[in-house]
Amino acid sequence: MNYEEFISCIRDYMAEAVGNDKTVTINRVLKNNDVELDALTISSSETNVAPTIYLNSYYKEYENGREPGEIVSEIYQLYESHRDKLEFNVDLFKNFDGIKGRVAYKLVNKSANEKLLSQIPFVEFLDLAIVFYCLVDNDFLGSATALIHNVHMDMWGLTVEELYEAAKKNTPVILPYELRDMNDVIKDILVSDIENTIYENDLRYDENCKFPSPEVVAEGLLKEVREAEDAVEMYVLTNKQKMNGASCILYEHILNDFANQKNKDIYILPSSVHEVILVPVAEDIDRTELSRMVRDVNRNELEEGDVLSDRVYYYDRVRDEIQI
C-alpha cells in the first residue's frame, strides 16, 4: 500500500474495532517548522476529549515489514488504556481569566513556520518568533500543552501585547531556568549509560564486586577528554522541565548575570527548541565553526520539529542585547 492507502486502511480497521458509537477520523495537524502529521482521532459523545494517535511513524514500520493488523492492534490497545484517563475542562478556554496564570511562551523559527504563524498570535524576535501556549495539568499526562490560536484571541477579545505580558510574567515562574556546565550534563548522560549498559549486562558484576562507581568511571572518561584537547567552555541553558527551554534566553537578567560572571560576551548556540548552549566569547573560538556545528546537528541529529535555527547569536553584555 502507498501512504494514502495505508492511512485509509488503518482508519477503516479502527472504526470497525471501536464500534458504531465512536467516530474515527484522520486530521492533518500542523506542528513546529510547518511539519504536517496525520493524526487518527477517536471521538465520542461521552467526552469532550478525543485520543489522537499520529500515524506517520507507523507507516515507516509498515514499510519495514510490520503487518497492518499488528499496528491496528497496538493503536487499539493504546486507545483502550488511555481513553478514560484523558480529562480536560474545555470551559477553561472560554474565558482568558481561566487560563491567564498558565500562559507561557516559546521560541520558534519565523521563516520555517509561515503556515503556522498565519494561524497563531506571535511576537517577532530577531529572526525568530515568540509564540504562546497554555500549560494544562493532567493526572495522567502531567503538564501537557495547548497552543494558543487566533480563534482563541478573537473569542477572548485579547491583544497580542496583553497575551505577551501575561506570558512574560508567568514563564520564568512556572518554568524556571536551569543553567549547567556542559561537562556536568555529559557526565550525567555517561553515568546513566554506564548504569544501563555496562553494569547491568556485565555477567561478572554483582553487588559484591569492587567495580568503581559509574560516577567515577564517567569522571575518568571526561578527564581524558579534557586533557586530550583544549575544551571550549560550554553551558546548557534550559528550563527545569527541559521543554521549550530555548525561550530562557528571554528571561530577564539570565544572560546579563552569566556574561558578567564570566566577564565576557556570549555566543548563543540554538541546539534545539528545548535548549541553547552558551559559549563565552574568546579569541580562539571561531563563530563560523560554531555555526557549522549547529547546522550539522540540525541536519543529522534532530527531528525536524525540534530545530530552532542554524544561526549562532551574539549577546553583548554592555548593551544587554542579543544580536544576529
Side-chain angles (χ1 to χ4, degrees), residues 11 25 64 70 82 108 117 160 196 240 245 265 292 305:
R11 180 197 61 207
T25 56
N64 291 329
E70 185 181 343
H82 295 163
V108 301
L117 293 178
V160 176
N196 294 332
K240 296 291 184 181
D265 292 346
R292 184 197 62 76

Side-chain angles (χ1 to χ4, degrees), residues 108 110 113-114 116-125 128-132 148 150 153 160 163:
V108 301
K110 184 183 175 185
N113 282 281
E114 290 184 0
L116 184 62
L117 293 178
S118 70
Q119 302 174 16
I120 63 175
F122 69 94
V123 174
E124 292 188 26
F125 178 73
L128 307 174
I130 304 170
V131 302
F132 307 93
I148 294 175
N150 292 335
M153 302 293 284
V160 176
L163 184 64

Side-chain angles (χ1 to χ4, degrees), residues 89-111:
N89 182 7
V90 295
D91 289 338
L92 284 175
F93 267 81
K94 292 181 178 179
N95 190 309
F96 182 64
D97 289 338
I99 66 160
K100 186 175 181 179
R102 308 183 188 190
V103 170
Y105 56 46
K106 63 181 179 179
L107 284 171
V108 301
N109 188 282
K110 184 183 175 185
S111 62

